[in-house]
Amino acid sequence: MSQIIKPKSISGFPEWLPAERYIELKWFDTIREIFESYGFCSIETPSVEALEVLTAKGEVDKEIYVIERLHKEDGEKEARLALHFDQTVPMARYVAQNFNELKFPFKRYQMQRVWRGERPQAGRFREFYQCDIDVINVDNLPLYFDAECPAIMVEILQKLDIGSFKMQLNNRKILAGFCQALGIDDFVPVTRIVDKLEKIGADNVKKQLLTELSLSDAQANQILSFASIKSSDDGFAKAVRDLGVSHPTLDEGIDELVFVINTLNNLVKGNFEVDMSIVRGLDYYTGTVYETRFTDAPSYGSICSGGRYEDLAGNYINKKLPGVGISIGFSRLFDYIRAQGKLPKGRQSPADMLIVLFDESQRLWAIDLAKQLRNGEFLAAGRKMNVEIYHSATKLKKQLSYASEKGIPYVVFPPADPGGMPELKFMDDPDRAQEALTKLTGF
Amino acid sequence: MSQIIKPKSISGFPEWLPAERYIELKWFDTIREIFESYGFCSIETPSVEALEVLTAKGEVDKEIYVIERLHKEDGEKEARLALHFDQTVPMARYVAQNFNELKFPFKRYQMQRVWRGERPQAGRFREFYQCDIDVINVDNLPLYFDAECPAIMVEILQKLDIGSFKMQLNNRKILAGFCQALGIDDFVPVTRIVDKLEKIGADNVKKQLLTELSLSDAQANQILSFASIKSSDDGFAKAVRDLGVSHPTLDEGIDELVFVINTLNNLVKGNFEVDMSIVRGLDYYTGTVYETRFTDAPSYGSICSGGRYEDLAGNYINKKLPGVGISIGFSRLFDYIRAQGKLPKGRQSPADMLIVLFDESQRLWAIDLAKQLRNGEFLAAGRKMNVEIYHSATKLKKQLSYASEKGIPYVVFPPADPGGMPELKFMDDPDRAQEALTKLTGF
């Protein structure tokens, strides 16, 4: 025998046991079903892009993995390729490249793995799934989509039953206009500091505004008052205006966010909060921004974020392509619920039924029955069943324990007399009773 | 504006337009549905493994991609990681690593991307999907699975409607025993040469058997007669025995293959052929082997291959784990049908219906109707619809052409009088008529 290599997981590259994967797949199905129910189409891009595409925006703060052929010959020239670190950059390249083939507004979803070579820790992986939706249009994009996108994500998070969470909204124009009204021309450094409010607290934010940006005490106080404004409806508008500053960009941002929060509250109930401290550190957002946190674990960070950008693909094409998008950090969300022990109980087989064999002579009968059950020809309303046939006519106890250990809810016994009806036995696992019954009866 | 980068695809890394992806996704759904209907569970492994895991079997004939952090610091020690080139090696590591958590026989499916740095050409990609099933057991694995696995794959290929194809079967013990009976002790070099029969022809195979392996003319002729035997049932057994050689391993192989082809013919009709020239070049197959070819394009190579192996995970664990597995080369299969123009017409939106707006005041009504349609509360039998609302109350012609261009089959018009019934118009695209009607009515 050759040398034994100890099989182990690689830090930051998660993989799940079959019963966990069973639930992960159900989550993906739910997400996809809801994305599609709003008419978003699926695309996938390759896992790799030319390195120059990934670094086109200049400085990249994500740790990129490059790939290289192990047996590359010396001096062999090949384009440098790297694994994508998000789905936005590849989508921008895709939209520019296929501009003439796509119909706009282009509404797409993308559920793929992305890679970042960051130091792994709880909730931060090196390989993970993201589930993104974006809407892209040419020249102008209706503000309606700034509400539809987060509404879809909240519908999904509600359906996944992840516990209490809050999606926080803001509009970067509000802070930009507010700063300009205060005489602060460049608001980006202000967003970087305000972004840390939750983490370092109001006192430290004020200190940094004073020392790092040389703001006056009055300016810093105004910004802190501003950043503390929250509301679950359009009440934030009055609170901001009550601070007594005025600017066209501020007004524009307020009007947009009022429209978005009111439309949102029509689309899906609950879970939203306008929060003036949410600014997203990323420079490319220009309007509405979103972040989502667990109510009881805000420090875990955002599990669903995004925003509006004025120009998606300016690096690749001479068209103005504004968009709005939002992304679920799928793996970190799933892993959080998993680590808390709050995942529903999965199972190691998707089979609904196991046909047991008393005697090898029953195999042909079993094959035929399994075919009918799989094709929906046996049960009412064409319900299709996933069916395993036990592989040998061994002791019944062994066959039943196989069903039990794999979580297969029903066992089918061959008829006592040839031509008789098979008998159906429910394995009586309360955790799976409802799921099994619904599949069998439709109720 | 920053510098324009011309967006382009990377050779060997396929990506599809939305309408093609629409069909690709349906294919994945079909494959998964059939895998699960036989009780195979899903697993996924990370895209990367430790390099030592991928090269554990010694010489690797696949071109491996290693990955490395772009900003790795000089002298930083990290385990060498590489993208997996198939799903069998990662599964072996997974099974060994999680041995105590898994129930055996372990039946799993895996549908992931794999990477090989080979020179791209028609049907050969550097990044592609494979769809694998394997059954692994401890110590012994019933021969029944040697028939169930290829039956599942043929059921899938029939359902995908890929045109005429043939799955060819053999058992490596037959050739091994046959060679031993002829006094050829090492049959592996013989398999390597016989494997080329289709490509180089009988004369060249004979020449290589004579010159490279120094076989006698009689031996070479016997092997060529043997390799030309084919049958769609167990008739091959008599043909082999009629060659007048005998050996226990030969008999064992014939008995196994007779059982497999007879069981297969009970499980799913047609598309199978026993072919003594099919030997699979890979050393690790020890019994039944499978290859699948298009009838009208055999030279495109195999689109679905596999076989039985005696010991899956000997590199990682001190247990004997025999298995049988088979894999669809998904991307090469899909690309072949796509390139032939034989894919069904896909569409750029999964929406079944577009609600148009005559007036912005109808939006709340539309939002409410869309919600009911998506939840299955509007149509009979709880049928759920995918519904888009047009984003603005612009000219009707523009809204209708959006539905038409994205392939959305139905348009919903707001009622003429408030409280009236909305009107449903079918966009009358014959290519989509049946699909749309089935979804709407259930028939």
Side-chain angles (χ1 to χ4, degrees):
Chain A
M1 178 171 286
S2 52
Q3 194 203 340
I4 296 272
I5 298 171
K6 191 176 152 42
K8 54 174 196 278
S9 297
I10 305 165
S11 173
F13 293 81
E15 79 183 356
W16 315 124
L17 287 168
E20 296 164 340
R21 169 66 183 164
Y22 184 86
I23 301 300
E24 186 186 44
L25 209 44
K26 280 193 184 297
W27 280 34
F28 280 127
D29 288 343
T30 297
I31 294 172
R32 174 181 160 194
E33 188 184 315
I34 294 177
F35 285 167
E36 293 189 349
S37 81
Y38 284 83
F40 283 71
C41 73
S42 168
I43 69 162
E44 281 195 343
T45 62
S47 303
V48 309
E49 298 285 340
L51 185 59
E52 63 166 6
V53 165
L54 295 182
T55 56
K57 299 251 177 201
E59 171 226 5
V60 179
D61 57 352
K62 311 286 182 283
E63 277 259 26
I64 291 178
Y65 276 115
V66 291
I67 71 168
E68 197 165 72
R69 287 166 45 226
L70 182 62
H71 297 299
K72 190 181 172 184
E73 279 162 44
D74 285 346
E76 203 177 333
K77 280 259 176 193
E78 282 201 336
R80 288 197 81 185
L81 303 177
L83 296 169
H84 55 216
F85 56 80
D86 74 2
Q87 300 181 127
T88 306
V89 173
M91 176 192 60
R93 195 260 313 140
Y94 181 96
V95 169
Q97 185 174 327
N98 301 300
F99 182 78
N100 292 319
E101 313 290 331
L102 303 178
K103 307 297 169 201
F104 293 90
F106 179 59
K107 301 168 71 174
R108 82 87 177 82
Y109 72 91
Q110 216 169 329
M111 301 166 66
Q112 294 185 238
R113 288 174 164 179
V114 305
W115 293 265
R116 294 181 190 175
E118 292 163 15
R119 192 169 299 281
Q121 48 179 267
R124 195 194 284 170
F125 296 114
R126 294 186 143 186
E127 173 177 59
F128 53 98
Y129 275 103
Q130 285 190 332
C131 301
D132 289 18
I133 48 174
D134 285 81
V135 184
I136 316 293
N137 206 13
V138 184
D139 295 329
N140 290 294
L141 178 70
L143 200 59
Y144 173 66
F145 293 113
D146 291 49
E148 189 174 71
C149 290
I152 292 168
M153 291 310 202
V154 165
E155 186 177 329
I156 286 168
L157 295 175
Q158 289 175 349
K159 192 92 171 256
L160 293 181
D161 200 15
I162 61 165
S164 180
F165 70 93
K166 190 74 87 181
M167 180 179 281
Q168 298 155 307
L169 292 97
N170 198 359
N171 187 308
R172 301 241 299 179
K173 289 177 188 167
I174 301 178
L175 180 60
F178 192 81
C179 285
Q180 293 211 300
L182 294 181
I184 307 163
D185 282 342
D186 185 6
F187 84 109
V188 172
V190 179
T191 66
R192 295 233 172 93
I193 294 172
V194 170
D195 200 27
K196 296 186 272 188
L197 188 58
E198 176 111 31
K199 203 177 275 180
I200 65 176
D203 287 352
N204 288 314
V205 165
K206 184 172 176 182
K207 199 179 295 173
Q208 293 191 6
L209 290 172
L210 295 176
T211 56
E212 293 180 19
L213 305 185
S214 311
L215 300 193
S216 72
D217 203 61
Q219 285 173 321
N221 285 339
Q222 280 279 64
I223 286 170
L224 278 174
S225 303
F226 170 86
S228 69
I229 293 170
K230 299 179 191 202
S231 70
S232 61
D233 54 20
D234 59 13
F236 76 93
K238 182 171 183 302
V240 172
R241 291 203 169 103
D242 283 351
L243 293 175
V245 302
S246 168
H247 190 275
T249 307
L250 174 72
D251 291 339
E252 195 183 321
I254 288 176
D255 288 348
E256 288 183 7
L257 193 53
V258 165
F259 173 85
V260 168
I261 187 71
N262 287 338
T263 307
L264 260 178
N265 284 328
N266 283 324
L267 283 165
V268 54
K269 294 281 167 243
N271 296 94
F272 295 107
E273 184 172 67
V274 171
D275 184 331
M276 288 297 123
S277 74
I278 297 302
V279 288
R280 304 291 297 151
L282 295 164
D283 291 349
Y284 60 82
Y285 290 122
T286 51
T288 321
V289 288
Y290 320 98
E291 291 191 0
T292 312
R293 289 189 169 76
F294 291 112
T295 311
D296 54 2
S299 63
Y300 190 70
S302 180
I303 49 170
C304 180
S305 316
R308 169 178 281 249
Y309 35 88
E310 271 324 289
D311 190 14
L312 175 75
N315 290 100
Y316 312 108
I317 193 171
N318 222 335
K319 304 261 179 203
K320 195 182 162 219
L321 298 175
V324 60
I326 183 161
S327 171
I328 297 177
F330 182 92
S331 299
R332 64 196 313 275
L333 171 59
F334 183 80
D335 190 49
Y336 181 79
I337 304 297
R338 191 190 70 87
Q340 303 265 310
K342 288 182 184 159
L343 282 187
K345 193 171 168 183
R347 45 197 179 104
Q348 201 174 116
S349 170
D352 304 302
M353 298 176 175
L354 175 74
I355 304 179
V356 299
L357 297 178
F358 298 136
D359 188 287
E360 194 55 43
S361 69
Q362 293 160 335
R363 185 175 297 280
L364 282 185
W365 164 84
I367 286 175
D368 191 55
L369 176 65
K371 235 184 251 185
Q372 294 178 53
L373 285 162
R374 290 183 190 122
N375 290 341
E377 294 160 12
F378 196 88
L379 293 168
R383 267 183 293 280
K384 294 178 177 185
M385 293 286 128
N386 297 332
V387 184
E388 277 195 66
I389 301 169
Y390 198 78
H391 52 272
S392 70
T394 183
K395 274 183 292 194
L396 182 61
K397 200 177 160 196
K398 198 168 170 196
Q399 300 186 56
L400 294 181
S401 90
Y402 176 86
S404 167
E405 287 176 345
K406 285 213 174 176
I408 302 172
Y410 290 100
V411 172
V412 180
F413 295 87
D417 310 303
M421 279 294 283
E423 197 192 328
L424 190 69
K425 180 185 186 297
F426 180 53
M427 290 299 286
D428 209 17
D429 178 337
D431 281 320
R432 294 163 188 132
Q434 190 53 53
E435 184 192 352
L437 204 65
T438 301
K439 183 121 191 224
L440 192 64
T441 63
F443 298 104
Chain B
M1 179 169 287
S2 52
Q3 193 204 340
I4 297 271
I5 297 172
K6 189 176 155 42
K8 55 172 193 279
S9 296
I10 305 166
S11 173
F13 293 81
E15 80 183 357
W16 315 124
L17 287 168
E20 296 164 337
R21 168 68 183 161
Y22 184 85
I23 301 300
E24 186 186 45
L25 210 43
K26 281 195 184 293
W27 281 32
F28 280 127
D29 288 345
T30 297
I31 294 172
R32 173 181 162 195
E33 189 184 314
I34 294 177
F35 285 167
E36 294 189 348
S37 81
Y38 283 83
F40 283 71
C41 73
S42 168
I43 71 163
E44 280 196 344
T45 62
S47 302
V48 309
E49 298 284 340
L51 185 59
E52 62 165 7
V53 165
L54 295 182
T55 56
K57 299 251 177 200
E59 172 226 5
V60 178
D61 57 350
K62 313 284 182 283
E63 275 261 26
I64 292 177
Y65 277 115
V66 292
I67 71 168
E68 198 164 71
R69 286 166 46 226
L70 182 63
H71 296 298
K72 188 182 176 184
E73 280 162 44
D74 285 344
E76 202 176 336
K77 280 259 177 194
E78 281 201 337
R80 289 196 80 185
L81 303 177
L83 297 169
H84 56 216
F85 56 81
D86 74 2
Q87 300 181 125
T88 306
V89 173
M91 175 192 60
R93 195 262 312 140
Y94 180 97
V95 169
Q97 185 174 328
N98 300 301
F99 182 79
N100 293 319
E101 314 290 331
L102 303 179
K103 306 298 169 200
F104 293 89
F106 180 57
K107 301 169 71 175
R108 83 88 177 80
Y109 73 91
Q110 216 168 329
M111 301 164 66
Q112 293 186 238
R113 288 173 166 181
V114 306
W115 293 265
R116 295 181 191 175
E118 292 163 16
R119 191 169 300 281
Q121 49 179 266
R124 196 194 282 169
F125 296 113
R126 294 185 145 188
E127 174 177 58
F128 53 98
Y129 276 104
Q130 286 190 332
C131 301
D132 290 18
I133 47 173
D134 285 81
V135 184
I136 316 293
N137 205 15
V138 185
D139 295 328
N140 290 294
L141 179 70
L143 199 59
Y144 174 67
F145 292 114
D146 291 49
E148 189 174 72
C149 290
I152 292 168
M153 290 311 202
V154 164
E155 185 177 330
I156 286 168
L157 296 175
Q158 289 175 348
K159 192 93 173 254
L160 293 180
D161 201 15
I162 60 164
S164 180
F165 70 92
K166 189 75 85 179
M167 181 179 281
Q168 298 156 306
L169 291 98
N170 199 359
N171 188 306
R172 302 241 298 179
K173 289 176 188 168
I174 301 178
L175 180 60
F178 193 80
C179 285
Q180 295 211 298
L182 295 181
I184 306 163
D185 281 343
D186 186 6
F187 85 110
V188 173
V190 180
T191 66
R192 295 233 170 94
I193 293 173
V194 170
D195 202 26
K196 294 186 272 187
L197 188 58
E198 177 110 32
K199 203 177 276 177
I200 64 175
D203 288 351
N204 288 314
V205 164
K206 183 171 174 183
K207 200 179 295 172
Q208 293 191 7
L209 290 172
L210 295 176
T211 57
E212 292 181 21
L213 304 185
S214 310
L215 299 194
S216 71
D217 203 62
Q219 285 174 322
N221 285 338
Q222 280 280 63
I223 287 170
L224 279 174
S225 302
F226 171 86
S228 69
I229 293 171
K230 298 180 191 201
S231 69
S232 60
D233 54 21
D234 59 13
F236 75 93
K238 184 173 179 303
V240 172
R241 291 203 168 104
D242 283 351
L243 293 176
V245 303
S246 169
H247 189 276
T249 308
L250 173 72
D251 292 339
E252 195 183 322
I254 288 177
D255 289 349
E256 287 184 9
L257 193 54
V258 165
F259 174 84
V260 168
I261 187 71
N262 287 336
T263 308
L264 260 178
N265 284 327
N266 283 324
L267 283 164
V268 55
K269 293 281 169 244
N271 295 97
F272 295 107
E273 184 172 65
V274 171
D275 184 331
M276 288 298 121
S277 75
I278 297 302
V279 288
R280 303 291 298 151
L282 296 165
D283 291 349
Y284 58 82
Y285 290 122
T286 51
T288 320
V289 288
Y290 320 98
E291 290 192 359
T292 311
R293 288 187 168 76
F294 290 113
T295 310
D296 54 1
S299 63
Y300 191 68
S302 180
I303 50 171
C304 181
S305 316
R308 168 178 281 250
Y309 34 88
E310 270 323 291
D311 189 15
L312 176 75
N315 290 102
Y316 312 109
I317 191 171
N318 220 333
K319 303 259 181 206
K320 194 182 161 219
L321 298 175
V324 60
I326 183 162
S327 170
I328 296 177
F330 183 92
S331 299
R332 65 196 312 274
L333 171 60
F334 182 79
D335 189 49
Y336 180 81
I337 304 296
R338 191 190 71 85
Q340 304 266 310
K342 289 183 184 159
L343 282 186
K345 194 171 168 182
R347 45 198 180 103
Q348 200 171 119
S349 170
D352 304 302
M353 297 176 173
L354 175 74
I355 303 180
V356 299
L357 296 178
F358 299 137
D359 189 288
E360 195 55 44
S361 69
Q362 294 160 333
R363 185 175 297 280
L364 281 186
W365 165 84
I367 286 175
D368 193 53
L369 176 64
K371 236 184 251 186
Q372 292 178 56
L373 285 163
R374 289 181 191 123
N375 291 340
E377 294 161 12
F378 196 86
L379 292 168
R383 267 183 294 280
K384 294 178 177 185
M385 292 285 129
N386 296 332
V387 185
E388 278 196 66
I389 301 169
Y390 198 78
H391 52 272
S392 70
T394 184
K395 273 182 293 193
L396 183 60
K397 201 178 158 196
K398 198 168 170 195
Q399 300 187 56
L400 293 182
S401 89
Y402 176 86
S404 168
E405 287 175 345
K406 286 212 174 180
I408 302 173
Y410 290 99
V411 172
V412 180
F413 295 88
D417 311 303
M421 278 296 282
E423 196 192 329
L424 190 68
K425 180 184 184 301
F426 179 53
M427 290 297 287
D428 210 17
D429 178 335
D431 282 322
R432 291 160 189 136
Q434 189 51 52
E435 183 190 352
L437 203 66
T438 301
K439 182 122 190 219
L440 192 64
T441 64
F443 298 104

